[in-house]
């Protein structure tokens, strides 16, 4: 029966439904996915603060209408915008609001995955403007990782989050190969709105280091919470051996 393993409630930036399709494809088919879209109009610090401030309210709708087991906030930098430890604070607030058994953010899933593959030195690829890259670098370094390089693919309007979804995977692949540092032991492709889930396995073959993406880490962490991944998850790189 659909949902017999449990239900995950996902707060997504409006227009960022890539994570929902990724979850439907790669999570175990008995995990039900429910979405709460949150307005997100500008990729700036102020825009991310506004986005994250609405997530807990969105999660509070679930106990009344559709009880969930896991609350998930799908935004990498939106779950970092409050500074050191913000992802943990978001998890506590979402769990309480949703009355769920557990809660995760993309950053929480990402940190779990980085530690699972033994990462210490990171090369990061993003579609973010420089001020957002600087914030992510500081956040991950506070968590104990060395960011040896971070490079953003610039769209024609870097503050428009909807343009991120139009970046082809081939462009991200080529950009990553060009910008990965030889000092890095892990490549991170950061952003839930970026089409990138097919890239880790191919990039790992080329670069010979673990490759993580925001939505790949989401599928991995959510699957671990429910005790099983979908049959296609083995396509998503070495993380799913952990």
């Amino acid at each position: 029966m659909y949902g017999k393993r449990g239900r995950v409630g996902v707060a997504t930036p409006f227009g960022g439904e890539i994570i929902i399709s990724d979850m439907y494809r790669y999570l175990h088919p008995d995990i039900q996915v429910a979405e709460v879209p949150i307005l997100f109009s500008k990729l700036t610090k102020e825009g991310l603060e506004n986005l994250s401030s609405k997530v807990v309210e969105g999660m509070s709708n679930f106990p009344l209408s559709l009880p969930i087991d896991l609350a998930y906030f799908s935004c990498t930098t939106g779950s970092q915008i409050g500074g050191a430890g913000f992802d943990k604070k978001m998890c506590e607030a979402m769990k309480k609001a949703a009355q769920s058994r557990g809660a995760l953010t993309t950053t929480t899933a990402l940190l779990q995955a980085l530690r699972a593959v033994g990462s210490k030195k990171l090369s990061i690829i993003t579609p973010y403007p420089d001020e957002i890259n600087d914030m992510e670098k500081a956040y991950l370094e506070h968590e104990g990782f060395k960011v040896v390089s971070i490079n953003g693919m610039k769209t024609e309007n870097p503050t428009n989050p909807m343009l991120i979804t139009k970046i082809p995977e081939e462009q991200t692949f080529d950009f990553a190969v060009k910008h990965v540092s030889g000092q890095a032991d892990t490549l991170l492709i950061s952003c839930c709105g970026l089409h990138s889930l097919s890239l880790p396995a191919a990039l790992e073959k080329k670069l010979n280091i673990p490759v993580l993406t925001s939505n790949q880490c989401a599928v991995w962490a959510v699957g671990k919470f429910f005790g099983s991944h979908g049959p296609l998850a083995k396509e998503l790189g070495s993380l799913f051996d952990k």
Side-chain angles (χ1 to χ4, degrees):
M1 182 179 67
Y2 180 57
K4 69 181 179 182
R5 286 180 180 263
R7 182 182 293 124
V8 54
V10 185
T12 64
F14 189 79
E17 292 84 0
I18 290 172
I19 182 58
I20 301 301
S21 60
D22 287 344
M23 284 186 171
Y24 274 124
R25 180 170 175 79
Y26 292 105
L27 285 179
H28 193 283
D30 290 335
I31 299 171
Q32 186 176 357
V33 181
E35 181 186 11
V36 176
I38 309 292
L39 183 64
F40 181 39
S41 58
K42 202 165 187 180
L43 183 54
T44 60
K45 289 184 178 180
E46 183 181 68
L48 288 167
E49 288 170 349
N50 188 52
L51 167 69
S52 64
S53 71
K54 294 180 171 64
V55 171
V56 172
E57 180 183 355
M59 288 293 175
S60 68
N61 294 315
F62 280 117
L64 303 174
S65 58
L66 191 68
I68 60 173
D69 299 282
L70 178 66
Y72 190 88
F73 177 30
S74 176
C75 185
T76 314
T77 50
S79 50
Q80 299 170 0
I81 193 63
F86 186 64
D87 68 295
K88 300 177 185 67
K89 295 175 185 175
M90 286 289 296
C91 287
E92 292 171 4
M94 289 192 302
K95 182 178 177 181
K96 182 178 180 180
Q99 299 179 27
S100 56
R101 291 193 291 118
L104 290 166
T105 73
T106 306
T107 295
T108 316
L110 175 60
L111 292 172
Q112 291 178 2
L114 287 168
R115 289 168 181 140
V117 301
S119 304
K120 291 182 172 56
K121 298 180 180 180
L122 312 180
S123 266
I124 305 177
I125 302 302
T126 82
Y128 309 143
D130 291 342
E131 69 163 352
I132 307 302
N133 282 341
D134 291 344
M135 181 193 71
E136 180 159 22
K137 180 178 184 290
Y139 201 96
L140 292 174
E141 291 198 328
H142 181 270
E143 290 287 340
F145 302 97
K146 175 65 176 175
V147 177
V148 296
S149 67
I150 183 165
N151 292 278
M153 297 178 287
K154 300 299 190 293
T155 63
E156 61 188 42
N157 181 358
T159 66
N160 182 350
M162 294 303 295
L163 296 181
I164 292 173
T165 65
K166 302 182 185 302
I167 299 174
E169 283 187 309
E170 296 83 359
Q171 180 180 334
T172 303
F173 182 97
D174 292 342
F175 190 89
V177 170
K178 181 178 179 181
H179 289 90
V180 65
S181 169
Q183 301 176 49
D185 59 28
T186 305
L187 171 64
L188 167 60
I189 301 175
S190 175
C191 187
C192 300
L194 194 63
H195 290 282
S196 60
L197 206 58
S198 71
L199 298 181
L203 282 167
E204 285 181 346
K205 288 180 182 179
K206 188 172 185 67
L207 301 175
N208 295 310
I209 58 174
V211 177
L212 303 181
T213 80
S214 293
N215 288 352
Q216 172 212 38
C217 293
V219 171
W220 176 79
V222 172
K224 285 181 74 68
F225 177 86
F226 288 103
S228 182
H229 293 113
L232 297 179
K234 60 186 178 181
E235 302 172 354
L236 302 181
S238 60
L239 175 61
F240 285 81
D241 297 330
K242 306 297 181 184

